[in-house]
Amino acid sequence: MHAIEFNHDWSYRHLDATDEPFTPVTLPHDAMIGEQRSPLAASGLNSGWFEGRDYEYVRHYTPDAALAGRTMILEFEGVYHNAEVWINGEKVAFRPYGYTNFTVDVTGRLTVGQDNEIRVIARNADQPNSRWYSGAGIYRPVTLWTAPRDHIKLDGVTVRTLSIGSGDDGEPAKVEFTVATTAPGTISVTAVPLPPAEADTRSVTEIGSVPATSVSSDEEAGSRRLTGGEPANGKGLARENDLAPTDNQPQSVVRTAPAGDGETTVVLDIPAPYLWSPEHPNLYTARIRYQSAADPTITDETEVTFGIRELAWGGDGLTINGERAIIQGACIHHDNGVLGACAYADAEERKLALLKANGYNAIRSAHNPCSKALLDAADRLGMLVMDEYIDHWYIHKTQHDYVDYFGQWWKQDLADMVAKDRNHPSVIMYSTGNEVGETAQKRGIKLAGEMTDLLHRLDPTRPVTCGINIFFNFLTSIGVGQYSDKKAAKEVAAAEKRRAAGQAADRHKAVGSEFFNNLAGLLGAGFMKTMATLPFCDWVTRDAFAAMDIAGYNYGIKRYAHDLQRYPDRLILGSETFCNDAYKFREFVKGNPRLIGDFVWSGMDYIGETGVGAWEYEDYASRNIEYGWLTAGSGRLDLTGKPLGEALYTRVALEAEPGPYIAVVPVNHTDDKHSPSAWKMSNAIDSWSWNGCEGRKANVEVYARAASVALFVNGREVGRKTLVDDCVARFDCTWQPGDIEAVSYDASGREIGRCALTSASDHTELRAEVEWVGRAGKHAGPRVGDASMGMTSTDTEDLLEAVRLLAGPAESVSAVDAMAASALPTAVSSSEVVITPGRLAFVRVRYADEHGITKPLERGVLTATVSGDGRLLGFGCAAPFNKGSFVTGETDTYYGEALAVVQASDDAATGDEITLSVSDGSHETSLTLVVA
């Protein structure tokens, strides 16, 4: 099928607001992020107090004569929610789940040569309908797919690795392609190793021009392979310039599709395959061609990117290509910070790259299916994915959530999720839900088994889990914290009455996961983990765990050892965990393969579920969770992607790096009270620039895999600690300007590492530096660094190096400052960075001294403007409490920083310039992007 990009020329307005003009928009578009926030908003703390509204989107489209007689299918990757699609005044589709991709066959409904109106309704006025910020509208891309009458079905190709081969005896890998067509015919499949540099820069139709011959099941076929990659028995990283030349021409495998069901299977033998793994994410592309049996002049083709990898699970744990893989993952929500819910490919890739830079090798898509762009990025980066279906089944967690539609739609939803995921090597597991208390009931246990069985039928190559909150299941079994329609109706009536009087609604009664979160915040993480060890918690979970391949434990780390012994056939996944358990997890998992991994809550901060993971002081937030709170505050990376002290801890705890790293609790608030949260382990950041705090006590944390660490301030040792069963050493010292340095030692006293932070001077300036730029092509890719320095990332090796750069070195300035000051030294005031049309540039704006060291105690209200051939998509800071907006071009700073996201126009010409200017009234800076 042929893809026609369908994201432009849309307009939208509030539904039924007939006197409101339509506003032009380009998809993806989050309508909710621009809505008013109000203490009267019915969504309350769930969304960050955004008002909920309904919307209509309209696009007029005239198919040209070339589309006459062709099949036309519209694909919507995500519309939140209760989507209706209307063509020329006729309702043609309804899809209630806001996170699943769906298609609409518009063949015969779009008239060729005439104007056609496509109208999409997205509803979000039915608040509350989510426990977190959902966004609203058409927030993921739309594509128009076209094909001849007889064709390969959309998503009709399934790729499966039958075996990875063996380099020892020359056995090739066997890859199976199952192709579904609308009519009998012949199918040919050609597979080509995909050079990493090309994976990011070519469109679907251009992939076939790769200058390498294909590999096929014909033993006479020649091949060009990537040397230096990971063959079936080897290691290494494939590189673009290692292609070996050959004069042989490609040969394809041809099979005749069965006339009965229009489906055929082709198996390719691929000699010396380059395997996909998290360390070496080698990819292939396959071109599938179809010729109709009824009319040989009718042909169709499609292309699929895939990886050759073997996934297994059992007594040896989870293995990839025969080697144990330990999941060291992070849960993430679907929003992209200052961009709201918009699923820009560049933003999705940046998020994964930042997480990988901080020690994570996997993500859990919490608690809904992820975008296609995120999966594409995960394939390229080598990031493992657990794609999760939903946050509930048949018991409400909010009044207007998906429960009313779940029973009718869950089978179709799962089928669409699998169709999206199955060809992505990064996807290693499906999750049927999160903290579904239904699993404590007979009906829910039966449903868990039915969902697992359906997923096995749809895709037998991946295991199935479900995130079960062990203690929460017990509470559900005795009726504590459960949703009640009657009570909810009373709350709504009372809230509406108060809103009508201009008064904020009383805080609603928490149920489900929110009830558990509040309980954990009140009683602490330790209490919740200990309660999960009680016998009755086992009684109300064991039957549900038996109905899935891998038992998903939310906050059950203290059960691991007991349950692995009691249930010798059970595989366990820490489907949701606290940050402060990372070291304990890592040490335990190394000797217990049936514990396959862990997902921390959460990897990156997100909008909504406000304050659940925040430690905030009164100069930035109210102590009570009330209007003004915007984010959860629970990320190891903040909302703008900045790694916090907990991220440095994660790198060390998960043995991504040995350390040492230094992080400091804000010295201006040493020993001050902050908002409580069980999901926070520390609010320290990697800065020693606490100007004006001379003589105050500083609480310093050092993260290291070492026998001991020593701390020095301006060359004088102020403390030395032995590390026993931990990788965190905590020190108290007196803050003074200058340097603070940590030195780590092994058991013999030999120095094995050191890290230092330097305080900023009294000089203050405003800086703007490009942190990430998307590359041209179908997929996003990074360009980290100033182009004049030759640091542009052009292949997988450079991409992974960019990931390491984003993590930051443990050197003489903070990790993030090092990235800004060293990697981007000219990205201040009129510096130039290259960008391509349509791509995004993420620009870090911060107060710094003349050396580029961030000054976290400087604070100001910034105004940003963009001139030239681009636009400002979002501008904001990471403050969990923030009454502002990301779409006004104005923001407060948070610990001295903010983030701007600039997009180059799609029709920008080479040489065009885009200038971002930022000012606080006293300081100003600008940055120029040059279109290439």
Side-chain angles (χ1 to χ4, degrees), residues 312-319 324-327 429 465 549-553 559-574 585 588-598:
W313 58 97
D316 294 329
L318 186 78
T319 62
R324 187 185 177 199
I326 298 174
I327 295 173
M429 196 181 320
T465 188
D549 301 308
I550 295 170
Y553 285 35
R559 291 202 67 92
Y560 293 168
H562 172 272
D563 288 4
L564 287 172
Q565 183 175 6
R566 180 179 178 87
Y567 300 101
D569 295 326
R570 180 180 291 181
L571 300 181
I572 296 176
L573 169 69
F585 155 75
F588 184 81
V589 76
K590 287 187 287 190
N592 293 275
R594 287 192 293 117
L595 174 62
I596 68 166
D598 168 286

Side-chain angles (χ1 to χ4, degrees), residues 394-429:
Y394 54 80
I395 298 176
H396 284 285
K397 290 185 178 179
T398 61
Q399 185 182 19
H400 298 291
D401 57 27
Y402 192 58
V403 164
D404 293 342
Y405 298 100
F406 173 84
Q408 178 184 352
W409 285 93
W410 68 266
K411 293 180 182 179
Q412 184 63 55
D413 291 339
L414 288 181
D416 289 333
M417 182 174 76
V418 170
K420 169 177 65 74
D421 292 358
R422 64 192 175 200
N423 294 333
H424 288 276
S426 58
V427 179
I428 58 165
M429 196 181 320

Side-chain angles (χ1 to χ4, degrees), residues 294-373:
D295 183 353
T297 66
I298 297 178
T299 60
D300 189 25
E301 68 176 52
T302 191
E303 294 194 355
V304 176
T305 299
F306 68 97
I308 301 173
R309 65 112 174 93
E310 187 175 70
L311 182 70
W313 58 97
D316 294 329
L318 186 78
T319 62
I320 296 177
N321 303 330
E323 297 184 2
R324 187 185 177 199
I326 298 174
I327 295 173
Q328 300 184 157
C331 303
I332 58 172
H333 270 308
H334 72 295
D335 74 77
N336 280 306
V338 301
L339 299 175
C342 291
Y344 290 101
D346 292 344
E348 301 284 58
E349 181 154 38
R350 172 181 177 264
K351 180 161 54 180
L352 295 191
L354 285 167
L355 289 168
K356 188 154 190 175
N358 285 282
Y360 299 106
N361 66 1
I363 64 98
R364 172 195 183 198
S365 181
H367 306 290
N368 46 259
C370 62
S371 70
K372 288 187 173 183

Side-chain angles (χ1 to χ4, degrees), residues 620 845-847 854-859 893-898:
Y620 271 112
V845 181
R846 60 195 178 94
Y847 289 107
T854 300
K855 305 185 73 173
L857 294 186
E858 294 293 331
R859 187 171 179 178
T893 55
Y894 183 67
Y895 287 101
E897 301 192 24

